[in-house]
Every structure is written in structure tokens, then in C-alpha cells.
Amino acid sequence: MQQLFRQIDKDRELVYAWFEAMHTRIDLVLWDTGEADRLSCAVQAIEEETRRIERMGSRFLPYSEVSRINDAAPGCPVCVSDELCALLARCLDYRQRWGGLFDVTACEGVSCRLEEQRLSVCAPYVARADETVRIDLSGCLKGYALDRAVSLLRKQGIGNGLLSFGNSSVFALGNHPKGEGWLVAEADSPDRRHVLHDECLTTSGNNTGSRRHIVHPLTGRMVEGRHTASVVTRSGEEGEVLSIVKFLSDSLSASFQDKAETGCIRLNQKK
Amino acid sequence: MEKASISRRKFLKNLGLAGAGVLMASSPWLSAFAESDKTSRYKVKIGIIGPGSRGQFLMSFLTKNPKADIVALCDIYQPSIDEALKLAPKARVYRDYRALLDDPNVDAVVITTPLDRHYEMAMAALDAGKDLFCEKTLCYTLAQCYEVYQKHISTGRILFVGQQRLFDPRYITVMKMIHDGTFGSINAIRAYWYRNNNWRREAPPELDELRNWRLYKQHSKGLMTELACHQLQTGTWALRQIPNKVMGHGAITYWKDGRTVYDNISCIYVFDSGVKMTYDSVISNKFYGLEEKILGSKGTVEPEKGKYYFEETEPAAAFVRLINDIEHDIFDAVPFAGTSWEPESANENKGEYILGKSPKEDGTSLMLEAFVEAVISQKQPERVTEEAYYSSALSLLGHQALEEERVVTFPDEYKLNYLNHVHNPILK
Ligand SMILES: NC(=O)c1ccc[n+]([C@@H]2O[C@H](COP(=O)([O-])OP(=O)(O)OC[C@H]3O[C@@H](n4cnc5c(N)ncnc54)[C@H](O)[C@@H]3O)[C@@H](O)[C@H]2O)c1
């Protein structure tokens, strides 16, 4: 991890820290009154937590818990942590709630009907239904890690920061040192700005015409075309799920291919 | 007191230096500005000895400083006097520096004569009770530097040496980052200055030595005292250590025109830990210009270019902009949100600017302002002279290594009570 420190004014310190994890970059700006050491400890704790979650949930790491499930014979229950069980159980709920559009077992070439039970989760055991099932948490793990990072900060009493996990999941905690909330603009269209306050902006989709990486679970086809979908939510995990659902719902509309983006919807309910 | 510190902060902020208080740990001499808002009714009366090329450059800043008044000039070369009078028309003119020092109207003296003249003039100035700004290199020999330093201590007069990097906002900012550990542990410094010119001024034979003093051994130590002096300092500032050994080689390989100083030099300075700082200079190729590459385990600094680079993932441009905005009290949106970043999309490592693209200044004007403030407040800023003493000492020891073609060790008798020399057994 690399860190840059700045003094905002007499009483306030700021840290900007960044590192690569989960096959992407994580950028964290935090500020607080008092010691820079506190901020430094906080960003280090976030890095450790993110790497821990990656070791648990990445399908690319051969010894992760998810890889153990993917490598086990179909039908054979694998004992995993409560944490992973809970995350997978939530993923199954999301699948039901969104008519099968969010599916961590989606796979190119396989159409996953909603009625089909592809994964059984019965803590502390998880089992794949058949050989076509491969768990891929890429669609929610960053959001989950982001939520964990935010709760770590809150526990440490650090109430202000901008946390970006791969630019696609951005949590604005508290306020910018010079204003209310945080202002975040989109890389591809800087005029599109979002004011965020204790909220997460999540974007899914293809930023170029040639990029294709999201599988439509119901058809088993990679979604093509330059299109992105953004949502503003209270949590990072929810944001990832909803932005994918929105992207996939958009993909059914006739104008999908020629509309670069459909705008952002705010799904969070402000109290 | 609170008002004073706010005003100092504002003052430094104008130079692109935010959070002056924090920078003080890395550059304690910035304390020179502690009382700058209380000194506006004072005027320091300054005499310039040797207002040649550098002297006139310094005068151009001093004449703009409302707290300074150039009241006397001394030179033995009429064209220098004529040019200097254009900048300070009311100044009294002296032919002999001793007469200038006798002038009770002069509070402080600036010495910008050739190197071999510094010692005698500096000693006399301090003895005459004048505060002193002496251009680098402090003196022609290390023994002389030591004597001048001790004279400054015993007389209690202010002493500054023309090491402007100490006041360069880019250096100040990046040294703080180095000391914070931003670039990991620093294990090597590669400093160089390359030029492609003969360094010679047109002059009739009888004026050749006076005008081209840099080219002759009896007046100067060439590239080591004229160029290296500034850059070697970067090493001690970054590492907060004095290297205790130096080896090297010098030769005249290209400009065989009667000069007696080297035009091609290489030195290796060795710190006690084994960390090395190399110094190279040739004046027959200018392609690489000048730099002091500071090589850390996590990143690299090129302070002359005003840039730093990280070894691994670069900082995100949008976030760098965000923290710069915050420093400048700007609340604005930074564009970065979008689909997920992947390592394959990382750009070529172009580095980051320490303080924006075009630096506001090289430190000379701030250094002179600091000198004027110190003279008014009669407070010698911490470490400013010690840093400069060691820059001079290192360039002179390097030159000795070139001359004697051997490893030269820092002599105990010339160590100050400073940094890793603090346990010097021969000091009381
Ligand atoms: N800090 C820097 O970046 C920097 C840059 C350039 C020069 N310098 C230093 O400034 C000093 C002067 O360099 P310069 O380039 O201006 O040289 P210069 O030759 O242009 O000026 C020297 C002046 O001193 C005068 N002089 C010589 N002997 C004298 C005497 N006995 N009494 C009075 N005047 C006398 C000369 O006539 C001349 O006018 C050197 O020490 C040099 O290393 C520092």
C-alpha cells in the first residue's frame, strides 16, 4: 500500500492510500482531526480486511474458500466459514428477489432457470448442484468488502472519507473537508456528477463497445454493447447487485445498444 | 501569537506550501518566517560585496523586498558596479570591502565574490559585527569553512549560505514526503549535472582570471564547488545523515583550453549504512541536464523535474486532484466513477508533479526573505547553516578525493555537533 499525507489545516489531517487487490485498485481518502497515525492505521486495517475477504471469496485464488467449493465434486458439501455462508445465502436471496438476474453461479453457455437450485447453502456447508455450477463472487465481493471497510472506519470513529473499490463501487462517508457530502463525477462523462453523503455509487456494464464481461444468467450469453448502469444505495453490496440487475434489465430494451448509459437511479431511502 | 502563525501559513501557502507547520519538522529553517508579520516596519541596510552575475540576481530580489535596502556596493570591476547601480542607484560605492565593512550604516553583508575570496571577507564581516549572507560554496577549504562557522557561533551573527534548494517549495514538500516514508527506505541517490558549454567569458588577457575565475584552480574547485555543492545537499537533507567517505575521479577530457579545473568528474559518497550517493558532471553533453534521483524502496523522486513516481500502482490521477483541491480549499467533483478498473488498463508510469507543472520559483527569493527576517528578528533559523556547511564540506572533500585519487574520510576535526556527527568525541 502507498500513502500520501496532507495537512488540511491546523487541526485536520488527510491520508490518501491506494493498493491493488481483488484484481482492481482501491483508493481511499480519509480525513480526521488529530494524529495522522490514526488514519494510517485505519487504511492499513482496510487493506488487511480487503485481502482477507479476497482470500475467502476470490475464485481466482486457488486456496480460497470459494475455490474449495468450486473444486469439490458436485453434491459434495464443503465446510466453509459462517461469513461466506451468510454471504452466499444473501446471494441466493438476491437471485430470488430479482427474478434470476443476479446469479453468482451464472456462466457463459449455461442458461440458469430460476426454478433450478444451483447451490445449496446450509451453514456451515455449501454444495454445488452440478458440474456447470461455478461460484463467481465478482459481482458483489468488492461491494461487500467496501461495506466492511466503512464499518471498520465507523468503529474507529473516523467519520469522513471517500472510498473507491475499483472506481465501480464508491462510498462517500460523511463530508468532504470543505463541503457537505462528496462530489463524484463519472470518468466517461465528467458532466454527470453525484452528490453523495453516506451513500454508495455503483456502476456496472461495458465502458467500451468491445468490453464484454457480464453474463446474462437466464440466457447464458455475454451482454454486448457499450452501456453502463449506475445506482446509488446505502450499501456497497446492495449497490453491486442492483447495478447488475439494472444493466441486465436495460439490455432487454430496444435502445440498449445505441444508448451509452441510462442515467443513475437512487435506490436508497433517506430517513 | 496565533495571528502570527496564521499569517506565516498564508505567506507560505502563496508559495504553494500548504500546512507550513508540518513542513517545519523536515525544514526547520522555515521558522525564519515565524514573526514575518511583525517586522514590516523594519528595514535591513545591506551591503553587497562583489555584485557580479549572481550578486545582481540576488539584488533583483532584495530591491523588491520592502524590508531591505541596499545601501552599499563594493567591487573591483567597474562594469559590475555600473550594472549594480542600475538596481540600487542610491548605494554608496566602495572599492575595498574593508571600507564597506567599516560603514556603520551597513547592518548586513551579502558576499558574491569568487570562491577564494569568501573566507577573508566572511571572517572580516562577522568580526565587524555584520550579519552575513555568503554565496556557496562557503569557502575554498574545509578548514576555512569550519573557521567561518565557528566565527558565526562565537560572534552570534546571523549566517546564511546561498543554498536555495533549502527554500525551494518543491524540495521542501517532497522532503516532508520522504521523511514521512512515502517512498520507503532511500538506498541510493544519483545526482548529476550535465552541460555543454565551455563556461568561459570573453575577456582580455589581463582580466581573464578575474572574469573566468571558475576555470582556475587557485580561485575555484570547478564543478565540485560550483555545481555539486547544491546537489550533494539533497542527499543529507533526504537521509538526515552525513556521508563519511568519498571516492572519485576527475579529469580534463574535452575543454583543453588552458583551464586547470576538471571538466569531467565522478564521485561516490558513502553513508555509514552503505547507502551511496553518486555525483557526476561533464560539460560536453547536456542531454540529461541536471537531477538528483532519490531512489526509495517504494518510489523515486526527481526533484529538479518536480516529479515523483511510485514503484507499484500509481496514485489515481483523480484522487491526486482531489487532495490538491482540498489543500487549496476547493470543493469540487473529481471524475473517476465508472466501470471496474482492471490492471490491464493501467497507464505508463508518468509520475506525479510535486507542486504542479510550473514551479513558482527555485527558492532564491524565499531564501533572501528568510535572511532579511532573521536579521530583523536576530534569530538564526535552526539548521540552515549546518545544512549549508555540510554541502560545502562534502563538495570540498569530493574535490580532495578527485585530486588525491583516494578514499577520503570526513575528518573528525571538522565535524559539527549535527546529525550523525553529534557524538563527535573531540567536541566538548
Ligand atoms: N547559489 C547559486 O545558485 C549561485 C549561482 C551562481 C553563482 N553563485 C556563487 O556566487 C559567487 C559569484 O559568482 P558569479 O557568477 O556572480 O561570479 P562573477 O564573476 O559574475 O561575480 C563576482 C564579482 O566579484 C567581484 N570581485 C572579485 N574580487 C573582488 C574583490 N576582491 N572585491 C570586491 N569584488 C570582487 C568581481 O569583479 C565580480 O563582479 C560564487 O561564489 C558562486 O559560486 C551561486
Side-chain angles (χ1 to χ4, degrees), chain B residues 119 183 359 403:
Chain B
Y119 168 70
F183 306 106
E403 288 278 278

Side-chain angles (χ1 to χ4, degrees), chain A residues 16 18 24-25 142 178 187 193, chain B residues 313-314 316 329 332 337 341:
Chain A
Y16 166 39
W18 68 99
T24 193
R25 62 174 303 140
K142 271 186 294 176
K178 309 288 173 187
R193 299 158 148 241
Chain B
T313 320
E314 273 197 283
D329 292 342
D332 198 5
W341 183 94

Side-chain angles (χ1 to χ4, degrees), chain A residues 2-4 6-7 14 16 18 20 23-25 29 142 166-168 176 178 185-187 193 205 207 211, chain B residues 22 177 182 298 310 313-316 319 323 326-327 329-332 334-343:
Chain A
Q2 312 249 212
Q3 301 179 27
L4 287 175
R6 292 282 191 273
Q7 177 99 13
L14 171 149
Y16 166 39
W18 68 99
E20 281 187 43
H23 198 65
T24 193
R25 62 174 303 140
V29 167
K142 271 186 294 176
N167 298 344
S168 55
H176 182 286
K178 309 288 173 187
E186 294 181 19
R193 299 158 148 241
N207 59 332
R211 191 179 190 203
Chain B
V22 210
M177 293 169 73
T182 307
K298 289 186 177 177
F310 287 101
T313 320
E314 273 197 283
F319 279 80
I323 60 175
I326 291 173
E327 267 192 314
D329 292 342
I330 299 168
F331 176 44
D332 198 5
V334 282
F336 67 91
T339 54
S340 186
W341 183 94
E342 292 173 328

Side-chain angles (χ1 to χ4, degrees), chain B residues 142 243-246 397 400-401 406-412 415:
Chain B
L142 180 50
N244 277 320
K245 273 187 206 154
V246 52
L397 288 174
Q400 188 185 341
R406 68 176 180 93
V407 179
V408 172
T409 310
F410 205 111
D412 278 344
K415 290 179 177 171

